[in-house]
């Protein structure tokens, strides 16, 4: 019923860019806070960026000035624009929808390597 479908992950060189998309269905998208999380091997899952239903954004210190989160309520989609990518950004990235319940996407691999 509820689905978060991610796309846009892949392989990129350091300094490059990627744009992740997460299309939601089965929820009233406009009332949900949305977020992007990531998990690298041997590390905890961490919040990368979030955007509230009202449009307020928050970023992890490690990605400030490089990543931008945005949402399009008409398309029920949240985006993560990632610029100036570093090898340390390599991780599985997960889309999250948060209101009374929390929903997760399947995860998409981002690999930054020479």
């Amino acid at each position: 019923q509820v689905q978060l479908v991610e796309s846009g992950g892949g392989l990129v060189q350091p300094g490059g860019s990627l744009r992740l998309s997460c299309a939601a269905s089965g929820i009233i998208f406009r009332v949900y806070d949305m977020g992007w999380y990531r998990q690298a091997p041997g590390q905890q899952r961490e919040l990368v960026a979030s955007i509230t239903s009202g449009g307020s954004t928050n970023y992890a210190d490690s990605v400030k000035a490089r990543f931008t989160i945005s949402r399009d309520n008409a398309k029920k989609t949240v985006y993560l624009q990632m610029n100036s990518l570093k090898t340390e950004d390599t991780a599985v990235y997960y889309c999250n929808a948060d209101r009374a319940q929390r929903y997760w996407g399947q995860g998409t691999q981002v690999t930054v390597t020479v």
Side-chain angles (χ1 to χ4, degrees), residues 1-5 22-29 32 34 95-98 101-106:
Q1 190 81 349
V2 177
Q3 287 194 97
L4 303 176
V5 180
C22 173
S25 61
I27 61 172
I28 305 175
F29 181 83
Y32 277 78
M34 303 297 297
C95 179
N96 167 256
D98 186 5
Q101 297 185 27
R102 303 191 78 184
Y103 301 100
W104 295 92
Q106 77 284 356

Side-chain angles (χ1 to χ4, degrees), residues 53-69:
S53 60
S56 298
T57 59
N58 188 52
Y59 299 92
D61 287 342
S62 60
V63 308
K64 284 181 179 176
R66 298 190 297 120
F67 291 10
T68 303
I69 189 170

Side-chain angles (χ1 to χ4, degrees), residues 68-80:
T68 303
I69 189 170
S70 61
R71 66 191 295 159
D72 185 336
N73 288 340
K75 294 182 177 180
K76 294 186 175 182
T77 301
V78 63
Y79 305 94
L80 185 67

Side-chain angles (χ1 to χ4, degrees), residues 37-46 90-94 109:
Y37 291 71
R38 69 185 181 189
Q39 187 167 23
Q43 297 188 13
Q44 297 280 92
R45 186 173 298 187
E46 64 173 342
T90 296
V92 178
Y93 284 70
Y94 298 90
Q109 178 71 48

